Amino acid sequence: MNTPETEMTPEAAAAALASAARTPRPASPRDRRVYAVGTALSGIFLGGYLAFIQAIDRTNGWYEPSVLFYVVLISSVAIWQRRAARAIPLGAKRIGWIGLALTIPVLFGALLIARLVHGQGPLPWPIAVGVGLAVAAPLVIAAYRIDVSGRE
Amino acid sequence: MSDLATGHARHRLDEVIHAPVRFSIMAALAQVDEAEFAAVRDAVEVSDSVLSRQVSLLESHRYVHVKKGYVGKRPRTWLSLTKTGRQAYAAHLAALRDIASPTTLPPPPSSTIDQ
């Protein structure tokens, strides 16, 4: 496989390298922005949803509609992201997955602390919002990383 | 690793990637996680049929992963480099750099005698 018949001169090799460097990126700054915004919205919606369900009394009938609303919101973000971007910028997937992976321990940690402080039952709104902000943070930070990595 | 130990760097060039259009496709895909067929076509500046043919060849060597799907009712094809493809492209670029770099050229015979 590694025996091209073509004789490669140093000049030709340099020209090939220059050509590779000049190849336009299929991902535009807009694609990067779409992925950054989508990742940030995923975190904000997750944090918002979590704050809401922790603050409400789940026996009053709000819980089920809120789950449905959250699923619709998050699906809409995913569909918009897929439609709006022509390419996924290099590293964006990995950064997004890292953000999502970090969300899980933050979520359980924040809920544990909130429950230790407040006990069972609906959380007061300030605590619920704090939990929501903590949960949203990893994906929002990931979104920032996706956005700035394109400017480097 | 020197060329004297492994032979000339041109032997490390990958003939699948070596062709200009395929090289451009690999160069474009190396800069993204995944790209839509049309985005790669525009970046490489080839026709749909040429891109399709070259991508099929790269796919047969497992350098490129092709994913077909729909966005709404419109069919879309997404292209990405496989791990093998990224490694092969990196190795090909390294071979090109070795050829292009004067430091990898064998020293002239007189240079050792003169010193």
Side-chain angles (χ1 to χ4, degrees):
Chain A
M1 183 58 57
N2 295 329
T3 55
E5 293 301 318
T6 315
E7 199 59 44
M8 178 64 83
T9 63
E11 292 76 20
L17 286 169
S19 148
R22 279 196 310 270
T23 304
R25 292 182 182 198
S28 65
R30 183 180 174 278
D31 293 328
R32 187 166 290 281
R33 186 56 55 86
V34 165
Y35 262 84
V37 169
T39 306
L41 285 178
S42 302
I44 291 165
F45 290 156
L46 177 61
Y49 165 70
L50 205 82
F52 181 75
I53 61 164
Q54 292 300 319
I56 60 166
D57 179 0
R58 294 191 187 190
T59 58
N60 68 5
W62 276 102
Y63 180 68
E64 288 78 9
S66 73
V67 174
L68 187 67
F69 185 64
Y70 172 69
V71 170
V72 169
L73 265 183
I74 213 77
S75 305
S76 303
V77 170
I79 291 167
W80 167 76
Q81 211 172 24
R82 203 64 172 161
R83 281 189 178 186
R86 293 178 84 202
I88 302 175
L90 189 63
K93 267 187 179 178
R94 188 178 58 86
I95 296 170
W97 280 114
I98 290 171
L100 191 61
L102 288 175
T103 299
I104 296 165
V106 170
L107 189 152
F108 285 110
L111 281 180
L112 184 70
I113 292 167
R115 291 297 165 197
L116 284 174
V117 169
H118 186 264
Q120 295 305 309
L123 291 176
W125 275 103
I127 296 178
V129 169
V131 169
L133 287 174
V135 169
L139 281 169
V140 172
I141 292 167
Y144 175 73
R145 289 291 308 149
I146 289 170
D147 193 39
V148 295
S149 64
R151 297 182 209 155
E152 287 161 5
Chain B
M1 203 182 298
S2 72
D3 289 341
L4 295 174
T6 60
H8 195 281
R10 72 174 181 277
H11 297 303
R12 288 186 278 119
L13 290 172
D14 189 318
E15 68 178 8
V16 175
I17 302 174
H18 196 60
V21 173
R22 291 197 292 272
F23 183 62
S24 295
I25 294 168
M26 295 293 284
L29 288 176
Q31 301 178 77
V32 290
D33 281 347
E34 202 171 279
E36 208 181 298
F37 185 91
V40 179
R41 179 199 61 205
D42 294 347
V44 178
E45 297 176 358
V46 291
S47 66
D48 284 0
S49 60
V50 168
L51 180 60
S52 182
R53 200 163 51 243
Q54 299 302 336
V55 163
S56 294
L57 199 143
L58 290 168
E59 189 185 20
S60 70
H61 284 85
R62 299 185 180 183
Y63 285 178
V64 168
H65 176 65
V66 179
K67 191 168 69 182
K68 291 180 186 291
Y70 283 86
V71 174
K73 289 181 180 175
R74 288 190 301 165
R76 281 206 193 167
T77 302
W78 291 79
L79 309 175
S80 59
L81 285 189
T82 61
K83 194 178 174 187
T84 309
R86 278 194 195 278
Q87 286 169 347
Y89 180 66
H92 188 78
L93 284 186
L96 284 175
R97 279 192 206 102
D98 284 352
I99 295 168
S101 166
T103 56
T104 59
L105 295 175
S110 61
S111 65
T112 50
I113 298 167
D114 291 345
Q115 287 170 4

